[in-house]
Amino acid sequence: MTIEHERKTPASQSSSADAAESDLEELSEELLTDSPPEEWVADYLPHCSRMTLPLGEDFEGPVSATLVRCDQDPEPGSALPPVLQIHGWTDYFYNLPMAYQWIERGHRFYALDLRKYGRSLREHQTPGHIEDLTEYDAEINAACAVIAAENPELPAPVISAHSTGGLVATLWAERHARGASALVLNSPWLELAGQSPARAAAEGIVTPLNRVNPTAELKVPRPENYWQSMSSQAHGEWELHPRWRPRVSFPMTMGWLKAVFAGHRRVRQGLDLDVPVLVLLAEKSAFRTQWNEQFQESDSVLDVDLLARRSHKLSRVVTIVRIPRAMHDIFASAEQVRNAAFQETSKWLRGYVG
């Protein structure tokens, strides 16, 4: 399915958000199809385009990722690096206000829907499933190649990554020296919440089950609390695609858990990234079985204190900023909160990137 849109200059962020809501309703639960090779087509988000990045095949069939480009350019003459946004678990790029924040600060904006997520999810695929996080190198490298070709005079991109995407981007940056100008990690999932013995026990359970059936699901509760905090259909402000960002998270497969645990283990061992690293965290975490209004001012997914400790393992120089009243996705928090986070990010980038 290809969705066509008339190209117009954005009148305002609110009008773009209204158009996105209308187009999202038209999408319903349908999945997209690949765009023609190396061709930008209109995205469902207004004033954005998307390009399929083919990745060959895996055991489920053809695999691809999707690069999204915001077609509104920064002010002429900006020499700042482009931004490549990478989403988290059970997620995709939908946050136009975030894109406009980057553009207003002088950056061209791109976002990557990883394989088996969002615009890249296909009917024959297990959502989000992967068995080695290094496989994501293929789409990140392909996205960076497109960005470099479109911006030959600009530095390597700033990688802005959220949650599981933060883990993926961190490990990619370790393997690709100077592949990015900086990392901006938004609540990066650098460790499983809980005590060390519990984490070790969980990995001990997953490893043998993965050998038997990597796509088998771990049967655990999947509450919809975080979705309720985000979705305009509940207590949040965001229009979310019903299959790309369902009420409960994607089922967690044994292969995916094994890959994530391996990534966490690599972080615990300690990295030595050669790029500036900014870690944005909520000020506090809040864990409850039922939805609570605290979730909209706290991280209801990860243990932010544990993430702060793990962040020191990424490099000799890491900047950690705690954002008051932030949710798990800091750039999707209330407008005043996310604006404060962008101000902190801008100050940091001026100091480390220029």
Side-chain angles (χ1 to χ4, degrees):
M1 177 182 67
T2 300
I3 305 164
E4 299 295 338
H5 292 283
E6 180 183 358
R7 286 289 186 224
K8 297 179 181 178
T9 301
S12 68
Q13 292 186 16
S14 60
S15 63
S16 293
D18 292 341
E21 178 177 352
S22 173
D23 288 342
L24 189 61
E25 291 173 352
E26 292 177 11
L27 275 177
S28 184
E29 293 197 7
E30 295 182 73
L31 301 180
L32 301 182
T33 58
D34 290 356
S35 66
E38 300 182 2
E39 182 177 326
W40 290 105
V41 300
D43 188 54
Y44 89 90
L45 287 175
H47 321 298
C48 291
S49 302
R50 65 179 175 91
M51 176 190 289
T52 296
L53 305 175
L55 303 171
E57 295 191 5
D58 68 2
F59 71 99
E60 293 185 313
V63 181
S64 61
T66 309
L67 185 63
V68 181
R69 179 185 68 193
C70 191
D71 294 326
Q72 183 178 3
D73 291 327
E75 291 295 326
S78 175
L80 296 175
V83 169
L84 176 62
Q85 172 69 30
I86 302 177
H87 59 80
W89 173 241
T90 318
D91 209 352
Y92 68 102
F93 170 60
Y94 59 85
N95 192 333
L96 271 178
M98 174 179 63
Y100 293 144
Q101 286 271 16
W102 284 111
I103 291 166
E104 289 170 3
R105 285 160 172 74
H107 303 266
R108 293 205 72 190
F109 182 86
Y110 298 81
L112 181 63
D113 280 10
L114 300 169
R115 66 184 74 192
K116 304 186 182 183
Y117 288 92
R119 297 164 181 79
S120 310
L121 180 61
R122 303 293 178 259
E123 292 286 359
H124 63 275
Q125 294 172 341
T126 303
H129 179 76
I130 202 165
E131 296 175 23
D132 190 331
L133 297 184
T134 63
E135 294 179 34
Y136 288 130
D137 286 14
E139 51 255 64
I140 299 175
N141 291 342
C144 288
V146 172
I147 293 170
E150 293 196 344
N151 305 275
E153 304 302 319
L154 296 182
V158 171
I159 307 294
S160 173
H162 170 55
S163 197
T164 311
L167 175 64
V168 169
T170 296
L171 299 174
W172 172 85
E174 181 192 30
R175 294 187 292 270
H176 297 82
R178 302 299 174 186
S181 290
L183 292 182
V184 176
L185 304 179
N186 167 8
S187 304
W189 190 23
L190 303 178
E191 184 61 276
L192 191 68
Q195 299 299 318
S196 297
R199 295 196 295 267
E203 189 167 359
I205 293 171
V206 165
T207 300
L209 293 175
N210 172 70
R211 296 192 188 103
V212 176
N213 183 5
T215 59
E217 300 174 13
L218 181 66
K219 302 297 184 182
V220 295
R222 290 183 287 147
E224 61 179 53
N225 294 334
Y226 185 52
W227 178 89
Q228 290 194 40
S229 300
M230 298 281 291
S231 174
S232 61
Q233 296 181 20
H235 306 282
E237 66 174 280
W238 303 99
E239 294 294 328
L240 303 175
H241 189 287
R243 292 186 69 180
W244 300 349
R245 194 69 167 88
R247 297 176 73 96
V248 299
S249 68
F250 295 154
M252 294 181 288
T253 64
M254 299 300 169
W256 176 81
L257 283 165
K258 171 182 166 292
V260 169
F261 288 160
H264 291 167
R265 187 165 57 251
R266 182 71 195 94
V267 170
R268 286 197 300 272
Q269 292 168 350
L271 310 181
D272 187 19
L273 301 181
D274 65 348
V275 295
V277 181
L278 171 65
V279 178
L280 298 170
L281 299 173
E283 196 171 45
K284 58 185 178 181
S285 294
F287 302 118
R288 284 181 169 83
T289 56
Q290 302 295 324
W291 189 86
N292 186 286
E293 62 184 11
Q294 286 188 348
F295 292 163
Q296 292 182 297
E297 297 186 352
S298 309
D299 192 321
S300 61
V301 179
L302 300 177
D303 181 341
V304 293
D305 292 332
L306 178 58
L307 297 187
R309 294 195 297 272
R310 287 291 178 263
S311 295
H312 291 292
K313 295 279 193 176
L314 302 182
S315 177
R316 291 178 294 106
V317 181
V318 177
T319 304
I320 300 172
V321 178
R322 306 286 281 264
I323 306 297
R325 299 175 49 227
M327 293 195 300
H328 174 56
D329 188 344
I330 290 167
F331 291 145
S333 300
E335 183 175 10
Q336 183 178 1
V337 176
R338 61 183 184 252
N339 287 346
F342 270 108
Q343 291 172 3
E344 294 285 355
T345 301
S346 294
K347 287 191 296 185
W348 180 85
L349 284 172
R350 284 196 298 270
Y352 280 93
V353 179

